[in-house]
Structure formats: structure tokens, C-alpha cells
Amino acid sequence: MKITLGTYTKRISKGIYTIELNSGKKTLENLTLLTEIQSASYIKSEGNRLYAVVKDCSGGLRMYENSRMVSQITQEETPPCYISTVENGKFVFTANYHGGHIDMYSACDDSLTHLQRINYPIGSHAHCIVYVKQFDEVIVCDLGLDRVLAYSIVGNQLNLKYEFNTLPQQGPRHFVSHPTFPVMYVFTELTSEVLVLKHIDTGLELIQTIETLPANENQVKSGAAIRISKDGKFLYTSNRGHDSLTVFKVNDSAKLETIQNISTDGSHPRDFDLSFDGCFVVVANMMSDNLTLFQRSEDTGRLTLLQKNIFAPEVTCVCFDS
């Protein structure tokens, strides 16, 4: 299995890398520089296409096909921090943390076209944007203004449908949606909690708040990434500062029960991803420049360490190629 890695390039990294997961040997092998690029801290792989945030003289979005750069849009500002896609590039979305805005593009005919920008009020830190097919909505997490926004797609534009406000200074960062329940799981960066939100006619309803760190943990709270298994039975979060992954079981009412907290054997686990077969988890430890490989039990959801200290410089994003 091929994995593509996004990185910062502040110290020793040169850009975007690939690495192979040998499922037979259960090892990560052959780290290779795919392309030189400045601070491609977030990437999105889709078939033979790869989208990457870019920071050169300006910030923006770049599109590759078969490892060849085919289109790029840049503006005089900081780069976005998140990328997602809809229907094979019909729409591409980015969220800009420092700029406090979201952008909508199309990627048809091998070319990026900017369609819309939505600017948020001062204090906004838009951190993720994802289309949820089950709800037919585009969901945005605004960490700075403690809110989750939902948009409908009308033509080539986003129209605001509703807004859900979290508690002050929770800092909603990323989310995942359940594959069958009408439920979203929002991970808060500043309080290291998962908010379980039920989708109702008027918007979202909070049905559970659960901490991702062990009880009485006094380490820095800095939630990072969140994933859910394809069957919707288990949820995973990465915890910077505590440098761990937490595993939750999803019960019959879509609420969460903590079943495991395990060290990532590295510093600052900014991102991780589950393999498509559900058998492996790869963690990106940004500050210690290493990947960690876990075996995942599909029955229990629990993780077992397979390999650590796999060199990957300034790694910030893990993407199993589709």
C-alpha cells in the first residue's frame, strides 16, 4: 500500500514524500521524495490526482496528476490548512486557519478554478471543511469562533444553512461523520474532547461530550486528528502534548466509550490514517520526525505497536492513496 506524506519544510524536509506499507511483513519501507514543495502541510489524494497546500512567495492550492503539477492558484496570504474534495474534483474546498475563510474551487479539465470565498469575522480560525454526503451538507469547523457551520451547495456556490455553537474556548478543529447514524463527531483542539452531535431538522444537537485524555491528565491539551472505522464501530483521536492515540467504541446509540489510550512513540502526533482494509494505522509524529505503525483489530478496535522510529521529516499529514 502506498502512503503519501505532507510535511512542513522549516528544518530538514524537502516537500511531499511517499512510503510503502508492506502488509505481509507489516513494515513501512522505502521513504521517497515525491516532489519538492514548500510547506505542503496538508494533502488530499484522489485517484491519480493529488492536491496540496503550498507556501512559496504566496499561499495557495496546487494540483498534481500522476505526480506532475498541472494547475496552481496562489494569492498573497498564508496557505490553507485543510483540503477536501467532492465527486472527483467537481468541487475542491480549502479552509484557511490564519486567514479566517473558506474557499471553493472546481478541478475539471485538469485545471483549478476559484469559485467562491467566504470570509469570517475577526477571530475566526477555519480549520476544516468537508462535504457530508449523508446530510448533503458542507460542514466547517471554526476553531477560533467556537462554531460548526453547515452549507448547502447551490450551483457553484455555498449557502449557509445553520450554525452550531460549542462552549467558549473548546476550539472545534476536525470532525468525522458516522457512516450510518445521523451523527457527527467533532474533536476540540483546546479541551481535547469529542462532541457527539446528532443531526436534526433544525441543525445539530449535542448528545455527549467525552474527554480524549486519561482521567486527571494534566498534560497540554492539544487535540489533532480524528478518524472513524469504515464500519462505524470505532473512533480514534490523536493527542499532541500527551503524544498518544485514544480509541473509542461506538455503541448502539452512537455514543462513545473509551477502550484504549496508547503512546505514539513520538512527539506531536499531528495526523494519522487508517488503511483501507482497516488493519493498520500510521501516525505522523511531526516534532520527532517519525512515523509509527500499529496493527488494528477489526473486532475490538484496539491497537498493537508494530514499528516505530520510521524516519519521516517534519511529517504533518498521512494519506493512504485511493
Side-chain angles (χ1 to χ4, degrees), residues 207-227:
I207 61 173
Q208 183 188 20
T209 299
I210 187 168
E211 295 186 0
T212 68
L213 299 179
N216 302 316
E217 180 55 65
N218 294 318
Q219 292 282 351
V220 175
K221 292 184 177 181
S222 185
I226 184 168
R227 308 288 186 192

Side-chain angles (χ1 to χ4, degrees), residues 19 28-29 289-293 307-312:
I19 197 166
L28 292 170
E29 304 171 348
D289 302 317
N290 74 295
L291 302 173
T292 306
L293 175 64
Q307 194 180 15
K308 58 182 179 179
N309 297 330
I310 305 108
F311 176 69

Side-chain angles (χ1 to χ4, degrees), residues 61-250:
L61 177 65
R62 184 177 291 182
M63 182 173 71
Y64 296 85
E65 285 201 0
N66 299 314
S67 302
R68 182 178 63 89
M69 198 271 280
V70 295
S71 185
Q72 176 174 294
I73 293 180
T74 58
Q75 294 176 319
E76 294 294 331
E77 61 175 11
T78 57
C81 65
Y82 197 93
I83 307 168
S84 65
T85 60
V86 181
E87 296 178 9
N88 298 317
K90 179 179 180 181
F91 298 117
V92 182
F93 302 108
T94 62
N96 195 301
Y97 177 90
H98 293 288
H101 59 76
I102 58 173
D103 287 275
M104 181 178 182
Y105 305 82
S106 71
C108 300
D109 301 321
D110 300 333
S111 180
L112 290 168
T113 302
H114 188 259
L115 300 174
Q116 183 184 21
R117 168 166 293 184
I118 298 176
N119 290 297
Y120 293 142
I122 293 173
S124 169
H125 293 306
H127 214 305
C128 95
I129 178 170
V130 179
Y131 173 73
V132 180
K133 186 175 182 180
Q134 181 184 178
F135 309 147
D136 192 25
E137 293 173 347
V138 176
I139 305 293
V140 176
C141 286
D142 187 341
L143 186 151
L145 296 180
D146 295 299
R147 59 187 187 162
V148 178
L149 304 104
Y151 295 86
S152 57
I153 301 175
V154 181
N156 290 332
Q157 300 284 292
L158 295 176
N159 287 354
L160 183 65
K161 289 183 66 176
Y162 60 82
E163 179 179 324
F164 174 87
N165 295 304
T166 71
L167 294 177
Q169 298 185 337
Q170 279 188 306
R173 176 183 170 94
H174 286 179
F175 79 95
V176 291
S177 57
H178 195 278
T180 55
F181 292 126
V183 167
M184 291 169 40
Y185 302 94
V186 175
F187 193 15
T188 63
E189 176 176 326
L190 305 182
T191 59
S192 294
E193 296 171 313
V194 177
L195 311 180
V196 184
L197 303 177
K198 184 178 180 180
H199 196 274
I200 57 177
D201 290 341
T202 55
L204 297 170
E205 176 185 29
L206 179 67
I207 61 173
Q208 183 188 20
T209 299
I210 187 168
E211 295 186 0
T212 68
L213 299 179
N216 302 316
E217 180 55 65
N218 294 318
Q219 292 282 351
V220 175
K221 292 184 177 181
S222 185
I226 184 168
R227 308 288 186 192
I228 193 168
S229 60
K230 286 186 177 181
D231 59 12
K233 294 181 179 180
F234 302 98
L235 186 85
Y236 301 81
T237 65
S238 64
N239 311 296
R240 296 171 296 186
H242 192 256
D243 296 336
S244 65
L245 294 186
T246 301
V247 185
F248 301 91
K249 182 178 180 179
V250 181

Side-chain angles (χ1 to χ4, degrees), residues 250-269:
V250 181
N251 67 22
D252 292 340
S253 62
K255 293 183 179 180
L256 303 177
E257 172 192 347
T258 307
I259 59 174
Q260 185 183 25
N261 179 263
I262 188 169
S263 171
T264 62
D265 284 286
S267 176
H268 203 90

Side-chain angles (χ1 to χ4, degrees), residues 246-304:
T246 301
V247 185
F248 301 91
K249 182 178 180 179
V250 181
N251 67 22
D252 292 340
S253 62
K255 293 183 179 180
L256 303 177
E257 172 192 347
T258 307
I259 59 174
Q260 185 183 25
N261 179 263
I262 188 169
S263 171
T264 62
D265 284 286
S267 176
H268 203 90
R270 187 180 176 95
D271 194 25
F272 68 98
D273 201 6
L274 279 64
S275 60
F276 290 111
D277 61 8
C279 296
F280 300 95
V281 174
V282 175
V283 182
N285 296 296
M286 186 186 79
M287 297 299 294
S288 51
D289 302 317
N290 74 295
L291 302 173
T292 306
L293 175 64
F294 293 96
Q295 179 111 41
R296 175 182 172 270
S297 169
E298 294 184 84
D299 294 328
T300 68
R302 296 177 68 88
L303 304 177
T304 302

